Amino acid sequence: MSTEQPLFSPPQLDTEAERLFRALLHVDCEPGRTWNYEDCRRIAPLTLEINRLKKEKDAVILTHSYVEPEIIYGVGDFKGDSYFLSLQARESKAKVIVFAGVVFMGETAKILSPGATVVVPDRGSGCSLADSLTGDQLRTLKAAYPDAAVVCYINSTADVKAESDVCVTSGNVYDIVAALPQRRILFVPDRLMGENLRTELQRRGVDKEIITSDGTCIVHDVFDAAAVIEARARFPGLKVVAHPECTPAVAAAADFVGSTGAMMKYVKNTVAPYFLMLTECGLVGRLQVETPEKHFIGGCRLCPYMKLNSLEKIRDALAAPRPDQIITLDENLRRRAQRSIDRMFELTPAIKG
Ligand code: 13P
Ligand code: SF4
């Protein structure tokens, strides 16, 4: 007979399961991605253990809106888009930062909070954009366009950030590029965001030449403008909301294009009978939790990298991180990468304010 005491009492587990169930009750964006009370009872020991470990280790958990809602609402301290989470990483005083997102986000947190131990639950959580361009490839491109300002989207490796003049996110890309003194811009690694940037700058009457590399997001590059037109015919009054990683045709067919943070704000502030979210399903899950009165007609897609995060992996990364879960960066590279992100922070409030 085992002499081991259970970590949590049945009443603690009941209270936690009820808390989770109340939070996740309305999530229903993809078949099979729902949480009933039994599911919540099953995960309650894990969320209790993770929340206990957070205190013990002086840790904070940053969660991108695309990870599973049981992570965001079960154990997350901060939730949001790349810009917001980068700010949280920079301001964090915690000894340990767990980044439930993808590896480039963990790297960005380490660049901005070098004194913290930064861990990612799954080292395989890449990103088709970040993985599309190496620092060496960017050096070759830079040699071909020596007069260009080098602007990297935050979905890039630390090496690429270190080679860039300024980093941008989906929330500030248009304003930052418009404000740069150079006419010629080498924008990496998202070709489609670069095309959307070109269109937006033309619309604003800003004269820039945008040169891009050839990366795309495997989640956003497949949304189809013809399907948007069809959906509008089936759902009168539909509002279509897209991420700037979508194709220019999809962006043109949408009512609103913005970062995941801006998309959330748009839906919360817009009255419409239905919304079509052309982005990762995690964002729809968040909206179903936070605006349960709104209706979404489906169509979102799953990011296989974001979905590698799990409560079990977060627990293991907190309890005793394996070397592959810990982000390490050469200090010289980290400092160079930090310069491009600091430049983004300098330019963002000046423009927004
Ligand atoms: P956001 O910064 O808009 O959340 O975008 C991150 C991302 O990976 C989108 O695919
Ligand atoms: Fe990368 Fe696309 Fe996944 Fe975002 S959704 S992390 S851009 S692959």
Side-chain angles (χ1 to χ4, degrees), residues 252-271:
D255 295 290
F256 180 81
V257 180
S259 68
T260 54
M263 291 164 103
M264 290 234 12
K265 275 199 199 112
Y266 174 83
V267 173
K268 286 182 177 179
N269 296 330
T270 302
V271 178

Side-chain angles (χ1 to χ4, degrees), residues 95-234:
K95 283 199 184 117
V96 178
I97 297 175
V98 181
F99 211 124
V102 289
V103 169
F104 81 77
M105 296 179 177
E107 272 188 359
T108 306
K110 183 67 183 175
I111 293 166
L112 295 170
S113 203
T117 300
V118 177
V119 295
V120 290
D122 191 314
R123 194 58 185 228
S125 55
C127 163
S128 64
L129 281 171
D131 298 340
S132 71
L133 188 74
T134 64
D136 275 345
Q137 288 168 326
L138 180 52
R139 276 186 284 279
T140 306
L141 269 174
K142 279 170 69 170
Y145 302 100
D147 59 331
V150 182
V151 180
C152 69
Y153 183 31
I154 198 164
N155 294 37
S156 55
T157 63
D159 279 10
V160 164
K161 290 184 175 81
E163 288 295 328
S164 300
D165 297 311
V166 59
C167 176
V168 297
T169 69
S170 52
N172 54 32
V173 51
Y174 302 148
D175 290 341
I176 287 183
V177 173
L180 292 176
Q182 294 91 335
R183 185 182 168 275
R184 186 176 257 188
I185 308 290
L186 178 53
F187 179 75
V188 295
D190 189 342
R191 177 172 54 81
L192 297 176
M193 188 178 285
E195 288 171 16
N196 288 322
L197 171 63
R198 203 176 283 139
T199 308
E200 175 61 18
L201 293 177
Q202 269 164 13
R203 193 190 65 79
R204 294 183 187 191
V206 178
D207 177 34
K208 300 274 183 204
E209 182 189 358
I210 310 290
I211 298 144
T212 64
S213 63
D214 200 25
T216 61
C217 163
I218 54 165
V219 174
H220 291 90
D221 70 358
V222 291
F223 289 119
D224 177 17
V228 172
I229 295 162
E230 212 173 284
R232 283 197 196 279
R234 282 183 57 210

Side-chain angles (χ1 to χ4, degrees), residues 297-309:
I297 64 162
C300 62
R301 287 174 48 85
L302 298 176
C303 171
Y305 306 111
M306 289 281 181
K307 266 41 194 184
L308 287 174
N309 289 277

